[in-house]
Amino acid sequence: MTVRVAVAGASGYAGGELLRLLASHPGVEIGAVTAHSSAGRPLGSVQPHLPELADRPLLDTSAAILRGHDVVFLALPHGQSAALAGELDPGALVVDCGADFRLRSSAAWERFYGSAHAGTWPYGLPELPGAREELRGATRIAVPGCYPTAITLALFPAYAAGLVEPEAVITAATGTPGAGRSVKPRFLGSEVMGSMSPYGVGGGHRHTPELVQNLSRVAGEHVTVSFTPTLAPMPRGILATCSARLRPGVPAAEDAVRAVYADAFAEEPFVRLLPAGRWPATGAVLGSNTAQVQLAVDADARRLIGVSAVDNLTKGTAGGAVQSMNIALGLPERLGLPTNGVAP
């Protein structure tokens, strides 16, 4: 089975990562690659790490060009996917890497994004309980945000098992590609190198309602989230440190909690629960679709701490999108996706 795939937003970081993975996918033929301001240029002028596709012309991003493909990936800025998706073939698989269709709550969307809610599509985090069933045969998929991918994997087993109270405190560090490729002074190398800084503090980050949605879904009750993101001087990766208080009556026993996590991830091809004493590192997952997870129990504070590391462009975006495509089309879930990282 070979499917013809288009990538809209191919000049950006997420689009380039999609093409890197799709170029090695044995079930894919790459069709149109599109952009906005870079339209008319060869792909190699903006994605020089893709020599096999370097001579492909970047076409205008329009429904007319994207129609006729079996799969269309939308790697566009938030708020730009909805109108375009409505003009695409109803029978094609459309995978949105932006935020337009992630949230179930219209009120949450309007509060954090300031526009009308376009709707909700099946959620492309296969490891989340019940998600694979929704993805099989789907023709529309919303890929999670990169922070919610890392954080949900670090915490959901504890919430699914009823181990922790419905409040979570999260600090996560990310590399600069999460802000996109457009030039912004605060993301210049001279501003970022040798410095870390917080942003979106006090519940202002747009991924907060997505975190609440995911954790509440598995907990079966509303979970409040205090999320502080930080910008780190690295080109890729997310390291998330997440904690929640153990429920009364739950023993502060790390072995018991580890058994819950081991059971949750036992059949997951892209989540690795590390051996006791080893901690996730962004460098270990560079370029891979693997998430590393570790946990600890602070017995004195009666808090569970879950730590995860992902490559925000691979497992956090493009890899998760390809993984979800594989499931939707009935292909082997691992197809075209690297589990090994790149070092040093």
Side-chain angles (χ1 to χ4, degrees):
M1 175 182 180
T2 300
V3 294
R4 194 160 183 266
V5 171
V7 175
S11 60
Y13 289 130
E17 186 72 352
L18 277 165
L19 289 169
R20 181 180 77 88
L21 298 175
L22 293 170
S24 300
H25 194 299
V28 160
E29 173 194 344
I30 297 175
V33 291
T34 79
H36 178 53
S37 60
S38 297
R41 298 171 62 180
L43 181 67
S45 68
V46 292
Q47 305 289 13
H49 64 298
L50 301 174
E52 295 177 6
L53 302 171
D55 295 331
R56 292 288 193 96
L58 284 164
L59 307 174
D60 287 321
T61 298
S62 70
I65 288 173
L66 296 173
R67 289 192 200 106
H69 293 82
D70 301 303
V71 182
V72 178
F73 289 96
L74 303 177
L76 304 173
H78 302 318
Q80 294 188 14
S81 296
L84 185 60
E87 300 181 45
L88 299 179
D89 302 324
L93 172 59
V94 181
V95 184
D96 183 22
C97 296
D100 292 32
F101 299 99
R102 293 172 186 163
L103 297 181
R104 297 173 184 240
S105 167
S106 296
W109 171 270
E110 291 167 7
R111 175 186 167 192
F112 281 86
Y113 292 91
S115 61
H117 186 221
T120 307
W121 288 358
Y123 193 68
L125 184 60
E127 295 83 3
L128 198 62
R132 282 190 176 86
E133 289 72 14
E134 295 178 3
L135 292 173
R136 292 189 183 104
T139 58
R140 298 291 186 270
I141 294 172
V143 178
C146 50
Y147 277 129
T149 294
I151 292 164
T152 302
L153 293 176
L155 283 177
F156 91 75
Y159 279 106
L163 299 179
V164 291
E165 294 182 355
E167 58 82 21
V169 178
I170 300 155
T171 300
T174 187
T176 55
R181 201 165 195 170
S182 59
V183 177
K184 303 178 183 71
R186 69 184 295 247
F187 299 116
L188 294 174
S190 56
E191 302 291 333
V192 173
M193 287 188 296
S195 177
M196 286 187 68
S197 60
Y199 65 103
V201 181
H205 195 279
R206 286 176 166 181
H207 286 169
T208 301
E210 195 177 340
L211 294 170
V212 170
Q213 176 176 285
N214 291 355
L215 298 178
S216 298
R217 171 178 172 172
V218 294
E221 61 181 321
H222 181 75
V223 176
T224 61
V225 170
S226 177
F227 172 43
T228 304
T230 61
L231 184 66
M234 58 186 182
R236 286 177 178 248
I238 286 177
L239 183 69
T241 303
C242 319
S243 78
R245 188 177 298 278
L246 294 171
R247 286 187 181 274
V250 173
E254 191 166 303
D255 288 347
V257 176
R258 174 169 291 278
V260 168
Y261 274 68
D263 183 63
F265 296 136
E267 303 299 324
E268 293 299 341
F270 298 113
V271 182
R272 176 159 169 72
L273 178 63
L274 297 180
R278 285 178 51 192
W279 291 95
T282 56
V285 296
L286 185 68
S288 81
N289 200 53
T290 298
Q292 290 188 341
V293 177
Q294 185 56 283
L295 60 95
V297 172
D298 184 334
D300 292 332
R302 286 195 51 79
R303 295 192 75 87
L304 178 147
I305 298 95
V307 180
S308 65
V310 301
D311 185 320
N312 57 314
L313 291 179
T314 315
K315 179 58 176 166
T317 308
V322 173
Q323 185 182 349
S324 297
M325 176 196 75
N326 287 341
I327 294 170
L329 297 178
L331 299 171
E333 189 170 338
R334 300 171 183 248
L335 203 62
L337 291 168
T339 54
N340 293 322
V342 177

